[in-house]
Each structure stands twice: as C-alpha cells, then as structure tokens.
Amino acid sequence: MRSPMSTLQHKPLNHLHQHLPFHTPKFHSRPITTAPPPPPLPPPTDPSSFASLILNSTNPHALTQTLHSPTLQWTPQLVDQIIKRLWNHALKALHFFNILSRHPTYTHSLSSFDHAVDLAARLRDYKTVWTLVHRMKSLRLGPAPKTFAIIAERYVSAGKADRAVKIFLSMHEHGCRQSLNSFNTILDLLCKEKKVEKAYNLFKVFRGKFKADVVTYNVIANGWCLIKRTNKALEILKEMVERGIDPNLTTYNIILKGYFRAGQIEEAWRFFLEMKKRKCEIDVVTYTTVVHGFGVVGEINRARNVFDEMVKEGVLPSVVTYNALIQVLCKKDNVENAILVFEEMVRKGYVPNSITYNLVIRGLCHAGEMERAIGYMNRMKDDECEPNVQTYNVVIRYFCDAGEIEKGLELFEKMSSGDCLPNLDTYNILISAMFVRKKPDDLLVAGKLLIEMVDRGFMPRRFTFNRVLNGLLLTGNQGFAKEILRLQSRCGRLTRQFKL
DNA sequence: CTAGGGTTAG
C-alpha cells in the first residue's frame, strides 16, 4: 500500500486486497457491499460506469485489456471525471491512473497528473509523489505551480510544514519558477492550516524578494483572524499602509470577519458602520459576513435586518448569502423558518446548491423530521446536484443517533455500490454507531468497516482501533481481534516509516 | 491553487 506506483509497476495493485478478508465474509452475517457481477462487455462510455467497472474488477489483466481496448477514445476530461468518482478509494484511483499510463497511445494530461499526485500525497506515499513529478517533467507537462501547491498542502496537513516550506523554496530546482503568486500560495496554505507564526516569519524574510503585494498582506491578516488574533491583523493593516500598499475591500472584509470569528460582535458592528461611512462600496461578501456573524451568536433579528438592508441598498444576495441565513435560522431559530427562506429563494429564481440542501436536510434531521429530510434529499436531483458524501453522512448520522442503524447501513450500502463513495467521516460515523446497541454482531460489522476503510486508504485513529479491539475481545471474537491487531500494526509501521 | 462570505463533529 505504501508505494503503489513504484513497487507495483508490473504487478496488479489488487493483490493488496487479497490478503484482507474483505471479500470473504466469514466474520459477519451480512455483507456490507454486495458481491459484484462480472464486468460487462463491451466497455462503458460514461464516467460512473467506468468507475463501477474499476471498483468491481478483481482481475487486473482483464481490466487493463478492457481499458486499453482500441475502440475506447480516452480524453483528459473523462479520465479526470473517473478519478473524481474514485476519489475516496485512492488505491483504485491510482490503479486506474497507472493502467492508463501504460496505454499504447493515450498520454495523461497535466490535471490528471495533479490528481494522481494529490491522491498519492493523501496516502502519504511521497515516493510515488516524486516519481510522478519526475514523470511529468520528462513528459514536459509540468510540474506546474498548482502541482507544488498540492504537494505543499498535503505536507502541511500531514504536520510537515517545514518540509512544505523547503519544497517551495526549492521548486525552481524541480523545473517550476517561483513567483509572487507561489509565495502568496505557500503563505496561504500555512495560514489555512493555522501555522500563522510560521507564515508570518516566512513573510518577513521574503517580502522584499517577492515584492509582497496587497494579496500577500491580506493572506497574513486573514491568517491572524483565523486564529482569532484580530489585533495582529490590525497591525498588518497598519503595516501595509505604512509600506504604501493600499488596503482594498477584501482587506476590510477579512478584518470584519475576524471580529465576528473572535466573538467581538460590537467591534464588528462598529467596523461595519465605519466601512459604510467611509463609502467603501461594501459588497455582497460584506453583507453575508455580517448576516452570518450575527446569526451564529443568535442575533437573528439583527441578521435579518442586515439582510433586508442589503436588498434595499441594491446589493443582490447570492446563494451564499441565502445559505448563511438558512444555516443560522436552522441553528439558532427554527427549521421551519429556514425552509420558508429556502422556498423564498427558489421563488425568486435562485438555484439552491448542495450546501443549501445539506443545511436544510441537517436542520430537518435535527428536528427529528427524517422523512422530510429524505424528501429534500430526493429533490436535489431536480437542481442538478446529486446528494454528495456530506448529505449521506448527515442522514446516516441522524438515523444512527435515532437508533435506526439498519437504515443507516442501508444508505451506506447504497453509496458503496453507487457513485458516491464513503469518506473518512462516513466510516467514523458508522463505526461509532456499531457500539450503541451492544449487539455482538454489530462489532463484527465494525471490524469489517475498519478493514474496509484501511483498504480504501483512510487511516483510522488509534482510538477507533482500540474501541473495536476491545469490543471484539469482550464479545469473544479473539480471532477477528487478532486480525484487526495485525492491521493496526501494519498501519502503525506505515505511519512511523513516513515520519521523516 | 494569488486574497474575503456559505456544509462538518461534541
């Protein structure tokens, strides 16, 4: 699992699955996913059929033959769509990428390479990451600045911020020019991962060399706001003025949001009034920030007043503005009022997006209205947004909380077989649910889920392992517990090996 | 993926 690309060049990735008991259901009474039928021929043409074909394939040679079939016309768009569908099954996705890498005539695009790099980096398989980068270079496709942003982001989120900085500082040696943009990007990545001190130090060292601009300063100010240090953000504001860089509306919106985030509600309100007084041409982002900011602290009336004011001032709300209002109504007011706003936005011709739907669905679930929540879930298709993994996670969670674990599992099986693969959260939600009924069979399912999640490239927390292990031992499943223990030590070896 | 507003957890 560590190095799918480098070690399995001539071997099927699938052999990794063979020593897992996933396809041999001896430890559980009911299978979590149904056994797939043999892949149909001729080959499919749409992304979701390809995805199922790849997911269900147990014979890598046959799969390669199918995907190399001369009747197939591969395009970068199709390849990217298939990778996206396999995103939550990283090994399968990389396997697919790998098969097409050996295609006699087709050559991967830059964006497919970037996706593959992202997947390998998520698996913390850095060896594969750099193999891919070198392959991109020899094909003269890249690496592009975006490639480095992806790599740096994964290093930062794996707790290797210093390594990310090093990579940025040496990216020109990998054939990718440094620029002010890439400088701003690395600073932003560090800030978004809350490594603001580190970002600020890097900023101080290199702001001269890269000629820091208003974006650079905004990134740093936003970083301080993200960790609720509004005063530091104000210092940045002062500093940029001193250095002759004019703050723009984005700067002020960042500070405004920073006040709300830090719970400085009245400071936020005064700042907002000041922005209006100074004629700063406040925009839909400003208003959305204030509506949301008031709402999350329960000031629903003030939130609604600002919403009405923006319409009066001729600033059109966006779907995001509606989402902000709907969210706070669900949380601090009443789902029914949120639904009124939802129906109102639809009447006005706005098209709700998946976030809008997920907010309403969550609100309904929270109010115990599971049936109505499912109704909105089915309605998503009408607005060209299928239920996504977040949608499923919300509904599964609430079914389980309500003790309807079978219904949660049913939805899970639907996603596993369909075109919305479960992610880390899905597995965590379901595994936790397997402990509420105190049924021994549930623990077998929990163990199977644990194996499946590792199989799909997700790393369970130590807590999850221990919980499942204890449960299995207490219910007399020593054999299965042993197997889980072996799995854990395999995972442990992997993480330790990767701590450089 | 050069910056600002909207899903998410006890």
Side-chain angles (χ1 to χ4, degrees), chain A residues 18 22 32 40 44 66 74 77 99 103 129 192 201 216-217 221 234 245 258 274 316 346 397 413 431 438 441:
Chain A
Q18 284 164 9
F22 182 55
I32 288 181
T66 308
W74 291 102
Q77 292 73 26
I99 289 177
H103 191 280
V129 168
K192 297 257 161 75
N201 290 334
T216 322
Y217 282 89
L234 290 171
I245 292 167
E274 192 67 20
L316 268 185
V346 173
R397 177 191 297 273
E413 284 178 41
I431 290 175
K438 317 271 178 233
D441 276 1

Side-chain angles (χ1 to χ4, degrees), chain A residues 1 87-90 122-123 421-425 427 450-461 465 491:
Chain A
M1 135 118 97
W87 196 252
N88 287 326
H89 201 328
R122 197 184 72 190
L123 292 174
L421 291 177
N423 67 8
L424 178 65
D425 294 330
Y427 285 103
L450 196 63
I451 291 167
E452 186 182 277
M453 74 189 278
V454 173
D455 189 35
R456 295 186 175 201
F458 299 113
M459 184 72 68
R461 291 169 300 177
F465 270 117
C491 291

Side-chain angles (χ1 to χ4, degrees), chain A residues 23-42:
Chain A
H23 297 295
T24 54
K26 60 180 168 179
F27 290 114
H28 40 79
S29 43
R30 55 193 299 241
I32 288 181
T33 51
T34 47
L41 288 169

Side-chain angles (χ1 to χ4, degrees), chain A residues 68-82:
Chain A
H68 285 194
S69 155
T71 57
L72 285 177
Q73 283 297 313
W74 291 102
T75 62
Q77 292 73 26
L78 180 59
V79 173
D80 284 353
Q81 283 169 328
I82 294 167

Side-chain angles (χ1 to χ4, degrees), chain A residues 129-146:
Chain A
V129 168
W130 292 106
T131 305
L132 286 166
V133 168
H134 287 117
R135 213 183 287 172
M136 285 164 93
K137 209 191 312 190
S138 62
L139 288 167
R140 304 197 181 286
L141 274 172
K146 185 178 170 179

Side-chain angles (χ1 to χ4, degrees), chain A residues 159-201:
Chain A
K160 300 170 196 300
D162 288 326
R163 179 147 290 248
V165 170
K166 236 185 203 164
I167 288 162
F168 161 72
L169 291 173
S170 63
M171 63 192 268
H172 57 283
E173 291 162 22
H174 294 282
C176 189
R177 271 191 56 203
Q178 284 172 325
S179 63
L180 175 58
N181 285 5
S182 57
F183 182 52
N184 290 339
T185 301
I186 186 76
L187 292 177
D188 197 36
L189 290 173
L190 291 169
C191 287
K192 297 257 161 75
E193 293 285 340
K194 311 282 171 83
K195 309 279 183 198
V196 186
E197 295 279 0
K198 205 172 280 292
Y200 187 55
N201 290 334

